[in-house]
Amino acid sequence: MKKHKKRGILCAIGAVLFAAAISQMDASQSAEIVTAIVIALVLAFVAVRSLFPNLRLRKRSKASAAAVPRRKDPQRRSSSAVSRPLADTPMEKQPDAPRYQHYEFHVAGVTFHSDDGTPRQEYLRRIDNGLAPFENSASLDVSLRPYMYKAEGKPEEQAIAVRVNGYDIGNVPSKSVPAVMDAMRKPGATISAFKVIGGDAGKNYGAIVVVRHDL
């Protein structure tokens, strides 16, 4: 350490002396001036390195810069990342969804009179507007009532009346009676939907009924 300091002091003195000598040179001696400046700079550099051996000019290499992870912008998110369950994570078994069979039909005979003499169109109009006796338009009591029907000059046949809150609004179409009778005998048979249609622009009212049963 002492040798380094001693050499540094000597180099520093030499650099000062060279600098002083340069100032005394004639302007015509340009080559000598340049040489003296270079020697003075070298001596000054050696003096600094000797007096301060721990002084280093560090240059960050490309390799070390690449190794430093970049800070992620919290506002940016990768669109390519896909979340998937772990392979060893047990999947919760979902219960089997109930399975149903539906049968839909349009109510027949809606332009005739009810069994109490009231026009069925009047009942359907009241149902559509929530008027008495159908104020409970959100929870109407729709039922199917099988009965035997005998037309004049024809043999007796199976029929099914459609009633809403106990009032006759029509019948199941004759061609749909066998399928509806079969559906009514199945487990879980119920009327799952009822809707009044038509009634606008002078059209007659109608109704749709859906029967559902378990499979």
Side-chain angles (χ1 to χ4, degrees):
M1 183 63 69
K2 291 181 179 181
K3 290 182 180 181
H4 286 296
K5 287 186 177 181
K6 185 176 181 180
R7 184 172 57 185
I9 293 172
L10 292 175
C11 290
I13 294 173
V16 172
L17 292 176
F18 267 103
I22 292 170
S23 63
Q24 300 298 324
M25 287 184 179
D26 191 359
S28 61
Q29 299 174 327
S30 57
E32 288 80 357
I33 293 174
V34 172
T35 304
I37 291 174
V38 172
I39 294 173
L41 291 175
V42 172
L43 290 174
F45 178 75
V46 174
V48 172
R49 292 296 302 271
S50 299
L51 294 173
F52 305 99
N54 294 326
L55 183 63
R56 296 289 187 275
L57 296 177
R58 296 184 180 178
K59 184 177 180 181
R60 191 177 182 182
S61 65
K62 292 184 179 180
S64 62
V68 178
R70 296 181 180 178
R71 294 184 61 187
K72 294 183 179 179
D73 186 351
Q75 299 299 324
R76 297 184 61 187
R77 296 184 180 179
S78 173
S79 59
S80 61
V82 179
S83 177
R84 294 184 176 89
L86 298 176
D88 58 350
T89 302
M91 299 298 291
E92 182 179 354
K93 185 178 180 181
Q94 299 295 329
D96 294 336
R99 300 175 61 190
Y100 303 112
Q101 178 72 43
H102 296 83
Y103 187 87
E104 178 182 314
F105 63 88
H106 288 249
V107 179
V110 293
T111 58
F112 295 97
H113 284 68
S114 176
D115 53 9
D116 62 2
T118 303
R120 290 170 176 166
Q121 285 293 301
E122 176 62 17
Y123 281 150
L124 291 172
R125 183 187 72 83
R126 289 176 173 272
I127 293 171
D128 190 45
N129 292 278
L131 301 176
F134 308 103
E135 300 92 341
N136 61 327
S137 57
S139 58
L140 297 170
D141 178 19
V142 182
S143 60
L144 301 178
R145 304 287 182 85
Y147 69 98
M148 299 305 296
Y149 173 74
K150 187 179 184 313
E152 186 176 354
K154 293 184 179 181
E156 191 176 50
E157 60 182 357
Q158 181 71 60
I160 306 175
V162 180
R163 293 181 173 269
V164 178
N165 288 2
Y167 294 90
D168 172 32
I169 66 163
N171 293 276
V172 174
S174 57
K175 64 180 180 179
S176 299
V177 168
V180 174
M181 288 293 294
D182 183 62
M184 292 172 64
R185 298 188 185 100
K186 296 291 180 66
T190 184
I191 295 175
S192 59
F194 172 82
K195 182 180 180 180
V196 174
I197 59 175
D200 54 342
K203 295 181 180 179
N204 289 325
Y205 284 99
I208 297 175
V209 178
V210 179
V211 180
R212 186 192 74 189
H213 63 80
D214 300 339
L215 286 178

